[in-house]
Amino acid sequence: MRHVGQGYLPAQLYNLSSCYGNKEQLQSLTWTLNHVGIKPIADIVINHRCADVQNANGIWNSYRDDVHHYGRRIDWGDWAVCRDDWHFGGTGALKTGASYHPAPDLDHTNEELRAALKDWLQWLRHEMGFMGWRFDFVKGYAPKYVKEYIDAVSLGEALHLGEFWVDMRWFGNTLDYDQDAPRQVLCDWISASGTGAAAFDFPTKGILQEAVKYTQYDRLRDRDGRAPGLLGWWPQKACTFIDNHDTGSTQKHWPFPESHLGLGYAYILTHPGVPCIAWEHMWDTRLTFIIKHLMRLRKRQDIHAGSKLEILCADRTMYVARIDDRVVVKLGPQQNMGIMLPTSEQGWRLSLAGHDFAVWEKSATELPSGTSGDEPASGNAVSSEPNP
């Protein structure tokens, strides 16, 4: 079984030469990012590892270690593969999480294997310049091991993330309004991993895109008046996103409605949590202005993961929220905001408007050089008058 030209079926962990470049080029990139104050995060795929060699029975479960490196070797045998991963003939312990069928599942209960992985993380930190970890498929192994891997490498104020694609609650093809169960799963994982990592907020993504697709903006407030995803329960640990390489991009397993991507970013970039921007969206000419404008607004108004969120309205056709009393966002096709419309007399100015969204900020805020020229996309997106 051979690895392919991407990182989600890894084999030789220390071999960084691929169709994307080589070790030296990656080092140059990471150290440049660090120099300008950007902390690069490595995608850590350690639930599974593709073997390099077949055993006597033709099963791919033996590994080589072809690249010279310091620390423990990674030329493992079938002992490194979980024994309930029967397809790959493992002889290790039982899995501590879900199975990943395309590749051999690693036995994280094995101390030698964990020690080798921690040496590899140290190498990524000290030789390659990475400052944080994005743990792939964390449902595949116990969260206590995530804590151990984080604690093994001193990274200071680093951002660590776990990709736990939690199952949402559905009734047939209809998403349940109550998504407490999946967000509780994420909270439990964060707690069990020592609270050292945040989690990608799949519930918020799913709820927001259903609200957009079916004009059900009443989904965006739970029964306690809070945001309905992980964002509403533990915003400091909620990494909000609109799409990633699985849900959108070329795979499109669960894409956000393309017509409302701007609205999606208006939500996550004005709200608490830790927003994550899809690379392809950042450089999409239809979205670049919107995303950059919202990023500057977030920084200008000091919106952060723990900002105060007040949901003023969440009905079928309109959602209105105020954040830290410095930003107001309106989503949905309804234009009439009534008394909720921010006015200049109250100290507000319209900052940005687009398809089914508008954002205001306190006009008294001193704008940094280079941002005062941003103009809203539309000046007639909202009204205090009844709809005709």
Side-chain angles (χ1 to χ4, degrees):
M1 181 177 185
R2 296 293 183 178
H3 65 288
V4 296
Q6 43 87 354
Y8 294 98
L9 292 172
Q12 293 286 328
L13 300 182
Y14 287 92
N15 185 354
L16 299 182
S17 294
S18 71
C19 61
Y20 300 107
N22 56 38
K23 174 186 174 182
E24 291 71 27
Q25 290 172 314
L26 182 58
Q27 280 178 317
S28 176
L29 172 62
T30 56
W31 290 114
T32 299
L33 290 173
N34 277 290
H35 181 71
V36 297
I38 299 174
K39 296 182 178 181
I41 296 176
D43 201 343
I44 305 301
V45 184
I46 53 176
N47 171 75
H48 48 274
R49 181 184 170 197
C50 292
D52 301 291
V53 181
Q54 292 172 289
N55 66 10
N57 297 318
I59 298 175
W60 293 94
N61 60 15
S62 296
Y63 301 89
R64 294 199 307 262
D65 191 6
D66 296 341
V67 178
H68 174 73
H69 60 85
Y70 297 103
R72 292 166 180 82
R73 293 185 58 80
I74 57 171
D75 49 352
W76 305 329
D78 56 10
W79 57 266
V81 179
C82 295
R83 69 170 179 265
D84 46 346
D85 193 352
W86 60 268
H87 185 69
F88 293 103
T91 61
L94 297 175
K95 275 194 67 65
T96 58
S99 293
Y100 182 78
H101 300 297
D105 292 320
L106 296 179
D107 175 15
H108 289 266
T109 71
N110 188 287
E111 291 185 12
E112 173 61 25
L113 182 142
R114 295 201 311 276
L117 289 177
K118 286 183 279 189
D119 285 347
W120 176 60
L121 292 173
Q122 291 278 5
W123 179 80
L124 287 175
R125 164 66 183 93
H126 296 292
E127 186 159 343
M128 297 308 302
F130 286 103
M131 299 298 293
W133 315 130
R134 180 261 188 200
F135 291 95
D136 181 68
F137 198 74
V138 294
K139 64 168 63 177
Y141 51 100
K144 66 180 181 180
Y145 299 123
V146 172
K147 172 177 168 49
E148 184 174 335
Y149 298 136
I150 290 174
D151 291 345
V153 185
S154 177
L155 294 168
E157 295 183 4
L159 174 63
H160 305 297
L161 303 165
E163 185 225 18
F164 196 123
W165 193 332
V166 66
D167 294 327
M168 307 282 282
R169 285 171 50 91
W170 296 84
F171 292 117
N173 294 324
T174 301
L175 185 70
D176 188 2
Y177 270 66
D178 181 1
Q179 295 296 326
D180 284 359
R183 59 179 173 172
Q184 185 63 57
V185 169
L186 293 181
C187 286
D188 291 345
W189 180 85
I190 294 167
S191 296
S193 62
T195 70
F200 285 100
D201 193 349
F202 283 92
T204 287
K205 172 193 163 48
I207 293 165
L208 181 59
Q209 68 185 40
E210 291 297 297
V212 166
K213 283 195 290 187
Y214 301 108
T215 317
Q216 296 173 342
Y217 290 90
D218 52 336
R219 288 183 176 275
L220 299 182
R221 177 167 58 188
D222 70 10
R223 59 177 172 269
D224 297 317
R226 296 180 291 189
L230 177 62
L231 174 64
W233 281 4
W234 206 341
Q236 294 86 350
K237 296 296 181 181
C239 183
T240 54
F241 68 103
I242 300 304
D243 267 325
N244 62 25
H245 61 287
D246 288 320
T247 66
S249 189
T250 57
Q251 298 192 84
K252 299 189 184 301
H253 292 314
W254 197 33
F256 199 88
E258 189 172 348
S259 60
H260 284 76
L261 287 170
L263 179 152
Y265 281 107
Y267 183 88
I268 68 170
L269 287 172
T270 60
H271 279 53
V274 183
C276 179
I277 299 166
W279 173 267
E280 292 174 343
H281 291 165
M282 186 68 193
W283 307 114
D284 185 328
T285 55
R286 299 167 297 177
L287 295 170
T288 299
F289 172 82
I290 293 173
I291 292 173
K292 287 186 175 181
H293 184 104
L294 291 167
M295 289 171 64
R296 287 193 290 262
L297 179 145
R298 185 179 183 89
K299 184 175 182 180
R300 184 165 63 238
Q301 296 290 358
D302 193 28
I303 304 301
H304 53 81
S307 285
K308 180 183 178 181
L309 173 64
E310 299 173 85
I311 300 176
L312 307 179
C313 172
D315 60 27
R316 296 278 294 194
T317 59
M318 184 171 68
Y319 169 85
V320 182
R322 182 168 56 225
I323 302 88
D324 284 345
D325 201 31
R326 295 193 295 272
V327 172
V328 170
V329 60
K330 193 279 295 186
L331 311 178
Q334 181 174 325
Q335 294 186 11
N336 177 26
M337 294 180 66
I339 61 173
M340 291 180 291
L341 179 68
T343 65
S344 57
E345 291 78 15
Q346 299 167 332
W348 296 96
R349 74 176 186 97
L350 181 63
S351 180
L352 182 68
H355 182 45
D356 285 351
F357 76 88
V359 181
W360 293 260
E361 61 180 316
K362 279 293 177 73
S363 58
T365 303
E366 183 178 349
L367 300 180
S369 175
T371 62
S372 59
D374 291 344
E375 297 296 332
S378 170
N380 59 357
V382 291
S383 169
S384 61
E385 300 300 325
N387 291 326

